[in-house]
Structure formats: structure tokens, C-alpha cells
């Protein structure tokens, strides 16, 4: 899973902010996220539902709601995406940048065959391709994501596929045009454990074969443990910790990260009940003062209520906590 290092990141997000509202009244759902993804690297983004991880990544490629206000910088292969004309963004999305959405059933058109939907994604970005060659390529893609009998499945409709098979179809559509960056938003949601493992293996195989930069958005740290190179932990619209996957699990530095890891069921540890983080995430637009996590944090002191902690640490491991044991050098 080692990342192919380049002088310039494939994808670089700097101080991304996303706010929703109307009439001049806005509330920020994403509050200054910064991250990078290199060629051939898997970046995991983890956090509770409503933390802003999906909204941030959607907005980074221009898929925010019309009522959203996006500021900051998002650079893909050196090109600035924030403020890019819609027509240019549309040329990038689906060709150089691809996304797998959360719900494959609602993302697929129920009245079009699976094969034609994949072929349509090919024809949209390859104007010299014929319909016949697009359907042939669609069959190859179904085979690539390990769908049995792709020649027959090609002519079936989404409702004739299981949840795991529909997810494979979404993956096939996403990689149809050999993208450089793939964003997978909760690709294993609502799937049983066996199918989850199969889907993640398909993604891992494709990522290595195509040397993709992969952003894996999830609330499941267990999924990231075996597949990510680095992990960004998001809480209340901010990244509170970022580290290599090994360092994050061995030496978590933010109380929220430690709480998430402690919440993973562990048969080797005897407990009367499963651990859970006390309280609930703050409501959008009603953030507490200081550190956003302090109302739920067992380590909170007066300084946590007064001052938002700076991000600090090393180039390979950073966290935003007044009491982290990472170096004092602020980043």
C-alpha cells in the first residue's frame, strides 16, 4: 500500500470551507479542511455521520448544493477546481476524477440496463467511440469487477442485482475511463460483512492495477485498517487528527480518535458493554466555544472551553488537541 511519491500531490485541498444558508445567514458544515492525496495512495477519511466528510469531498469536486458557499483551494494535478467553470469541471468528473456514491440503488437508473449505463459513461467522454465498442468495453469492466457471466448481466436492470453486485457496477462505471483519482463514499454501507470484504478487495485490486489515488470515506475504522495508507479523522467539519494508518492505531493522539478506536468491538477484551463516546455531535451552526469536542471529552479542561487547539505535530502525524503528546511545533 505504499504511496508513489511525487513532487506535486495528485489532489491537494487547502482550508476548504463549505457553508449552507440563505438570506446572508450561513452555517459552516466544513470548517477549514486541508489534505493531500498522492498518485497510488489510499487516504481514508473517517468520522461520525454528519461530521462533514462526505460534504467536503463532494464540494471539492464541484458537487455541492446550489445553496452552498465554497471557499478555499482544491487543486487536481495543479489545476484549481474551486471557481472552475462548470463545463470544465464536467469534463474532469467521470474521466480524470471519479466518484462512487453511497447508495448504488438510487445512483443507478432503474429503467436502463446496467450495460448501457456503463457504456453511456464511456461515450460521454470518448466521442470517437462507437456504441458497439462501448458495450464491449462495458462487458470487460463487469468482468474486471468480478461479476459472473458479464455477457448476460450486461443486459439486465439494477433491480435484478443484489446490493453487492450493484456496488460492483458502480465501481465499474467509476473506473471506466481510467481516472487518476477515485473518491469512494461509504462503498460498503448496508452490505453484510462477507460482501464488504469482497467489495474492498475489488477496490484494492483496481487501485493497485490502475495506480489510482483513492479517497475512502467511511465511519468504519476497521475498513481503513487493512486498506488505507493514511487516515484523516474528521469531527464537526474539521480534521482533528491525520497520520499513517499504523501510527493512528498504535498511537492515537486526539481523544476523539481514541474514542473511535475504543468503540471497535474487541473479543480479546472482556467488557460488560461496548464502549461509546458520551454525548452527541454539535448541531450545525451551534458549535461550542473553544474545542468543538470538549463537551464530550473526558480530558477537557478550562482551556479547551476557551481556546480552539491548533493543529500540531510532525509532517507524518498531526492532531488538534491541547493535551496531545505530539511535538509542540504548530502546523
Amino acid at each position: 500500500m505504499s504511496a508513489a511519491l511525487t513532487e506535486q500531490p495528485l489532489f491537494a485541498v487547502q482550508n476548504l470551507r463549505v457553508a449552507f444558508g440563505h438570506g446572508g445567514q450561513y452555517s459552516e458544515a466544513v470548517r477549514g479542511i486541508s489534505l493531500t492525496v498522492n498518485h497510488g495512495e489510499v487516504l481514508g477519511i473517517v468520522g461520525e455521520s454528519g461530521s462533514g466528510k462526505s460534504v467536503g469531498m463532494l464540494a471539492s469536486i464541484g458537487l455541492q448544493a446550489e445553496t452552498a458557499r465554497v471557499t478555499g483551494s482544491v487543486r487536481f494535478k495543479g489545476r484549481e477546481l474551486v471557481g472552475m467553470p462548470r463545463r470544465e469541471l464536467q469534463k474532469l468528473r467521470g474521466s480524470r476524477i471519479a466518484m462512487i456514491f453511497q447508495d448504488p440503488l438510487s445512483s443507478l437508473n432503474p429503467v436502463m440496463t446496467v450495460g448501457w449505463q456503463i457504456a453511456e459513461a464511456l461515450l460521454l467522454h470518448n466521442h470517437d467511440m462507437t456504441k458497439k465498442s462501448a458495450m464491449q468495453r462495458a462487458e470487460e469492466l463487469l468482468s474486471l469487477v468480478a461479476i459472473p457471466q458479464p455477457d448476460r448481466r450486461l443486459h439486465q436492470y439494477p433491480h435484478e442485482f443484489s446490493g453487492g453486485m450493484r456496488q460492483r457496477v458502480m465501481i465499474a462505471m467509476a473506473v471506466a475511463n481510467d481516472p487518476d483519482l477515485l473518491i469512494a463514499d461509504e462503498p460498503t454501507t448496508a452490505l453484510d460483512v462477507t460482501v464488504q470484504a469482497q467489495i474492498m478487495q475489488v477496490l484494492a485490486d483496481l487501485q493497485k492495477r490502475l495506480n489510482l489515488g483513492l479517497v475512502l470515506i467511511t465511519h468504519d475504522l476497521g475498513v481503513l485498517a487493512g486498506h488505507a495508507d493514511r487516515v484523516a479523522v474528521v469531527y464537526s467539519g474539521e480534521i482533528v487528527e491525520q497520520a499513517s494508518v499504523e501510527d493512528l492505531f498504535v498511537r492515537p493522539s486526539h481523544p476523539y480518535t481514541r474514542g473511535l478506536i475504543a468503540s471497535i468491538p474487541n473479543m480479546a477484551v472482556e467488557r460488560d458493554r461496548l464502549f461509546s463516546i458520551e454525548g452527541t455531535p454539535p448541531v450545525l451552526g451551534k458549535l461550542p466555544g473553544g474545542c468543538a469536542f470538549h463537551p464530550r471529552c473526558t480530558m477537557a479542561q478550562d482551556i479547551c472551553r476557551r481556546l480552539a487547539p491548533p493543529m500540531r505535530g510532525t509532517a507524518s502525524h498531526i492532531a488538534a488537541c491541547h493535551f496531545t503528546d505530539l511535538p509542540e511545533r504548530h502546523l
Side-chain angles (χ1 to χ4, degrees):
M1 293 190 298
S2 60
L5 299 178
T6 59
E7 291 183 5
Q8 176 179 275
L10 171 66
F11 189 62
V13 178
Q14 186 65 39
N15 196 30
L16 180 69
R17 294 179 176 271
V18 184
F20 295 92
H22 62 279
Q25 299 294 319
Y26 284 85
S27 296
E28 284 192 323
V30 177
R31 304 183 298 126
I33 282 179
S34 297
L35 54 83
T36 60
V37 183
N38 294 309
H39 291 270
E41 181 180 39
V42 182
L43 174 71
I45 301 180
V46 68
E48 293 169 291
S49 297
S51 62
K53 53 190 188 298
S54 295
V55 169
M57 286 299 97
L58 285 167
S60 72
I61 58 173
L63 291 177
Q64 70 274 8
E66 290 185 5
T67 56
R69 183 176 63 189
V70 179
T71 59
S73 173
V74 179
R75 300 186 74 83
F76 172 71
K77 300 179 78 171
R79 298 180 65 188
E80 180 61 57
L81 302 188
V82 176
M84 180 180 281
R86 183 181 295 271
R87 188 180 295 271
E88 289 187 46
L89 265 175
Q90 288 174 338
K91 290 179 181 178
L92 282 176
R93 291 195 304 256
S95 58
R96 309 280 34 95
I97 302 173
M99 185 159 188
I100 302 169
F101 296 95
Q102 284 193 31
D103 184 0
L105 183 58
S106 62
S107 299
L108 292 169
N109 191 326
V111 298
M112 290 173 61
T113 63
V114 161
W116 180 244
Q117 291 186 63
I118 298 173
E120 196 175 46
L122 288 161
L123 292 168
L124 184 64
H125 296 281
N126 300 277
H127 301 298
D128 58 342
M129 181 177 277
T130 65
K131 291 182 180 180
K132 181 179 180 180
S133 58
M135 287 295 284
Q136 289 174 343
R137 176 60 178 155
E139 183 178 334
E140 292 172 6
L141 287 162
L142 289 181
S143 178
L144 187 67
V145 296
I147 288 183
Q149 298 179 295
D151 56 331
R152 184 174 66 86
R153 290 289 194 171
L154 197 68
H155 305 288
Q156 293 183 327
Y157 292 86
H159 72 270
E160 298 179 85
F161 286 68
S162 66
M165 298 286 266
R166 284 194 292 265
Q167 194 65 282
R168 291 171 190 248
V169 171
M170 291 298 297
I171 294 171
M173 289 178 66
V175 302
N177 292 296
D178 297 326
D180 299 301
L181 177 69
L182 177 60
I183 301 172
D185 190 4
E186 302 279 9
T188 59
T189 297
L191 302 177
D192 64 57
V193 176
T194 303
V195 178
Q196 280 186 23
Q198 293 171 354
I199 294 298
M200 289 310 304
Q201 190 58 55
V202 168
L203 272 176
D205 291 344
L206 287 173
Q207 186 267 330
K208 290 177 181 177
R209 187 181 308 181
L210 303 175
N211 195 36
L212 292 169
L214 175 61
V215 179
L216 189 56
I217 305 169
T218 183
H219 61 272
D220 189 345
L221 272 169
V223 168
L224 298 182
H227 298 279
D229 295 306
R230 290 186 297 117
V231 179
V233 181
V234 179
Y235 183 79
S236 189
E238 293 180 305
I239 292 178
V240 296
E241 185 163 3
Q242 192 169 170
S244 69
V245 67
E246 294 86 357
D247 212 15
L248 191 87
F249 277 88
V250 172
R251 196 165 63 97
S253 295
H254 196 282
Y256 179 60
T257 308
R258 289 197 284 267
L260 290 178
I261 293 173
S263 300
I264 300 173
N266 188 344
M267 299 299 291
V269 179
E270 290 188 13
R271 291 177 179 165
D272 293 331
R273 55 183 299 179
L274 293 175
F275 175 84
S276 64
I277 301 172
E278 296 291 334
T280 57
V283 177
L284 182 66
K286 296 182 179 179
L287 295 174
C291 174
F293 186 62
H294 87 254
R296 307 174 68 188
C297 182
T298 56
M299 295 173 56
Q301 303 293 326
D302 183 57
I303 189 174
C304 305
R305 301 176 183 90
R306 291 187 291 106
L307 297 174
M311 188 71 80
R312 60 189 183 186
T314 65
S316 62
H317 193 163
I318 54 176
C321 179
H322 291 295
F323 301 103
T324 178
D325 59 355
L326 292 173
E328 292 295 327
R329 183 167 66 89
H330 293 189
L331 300 178

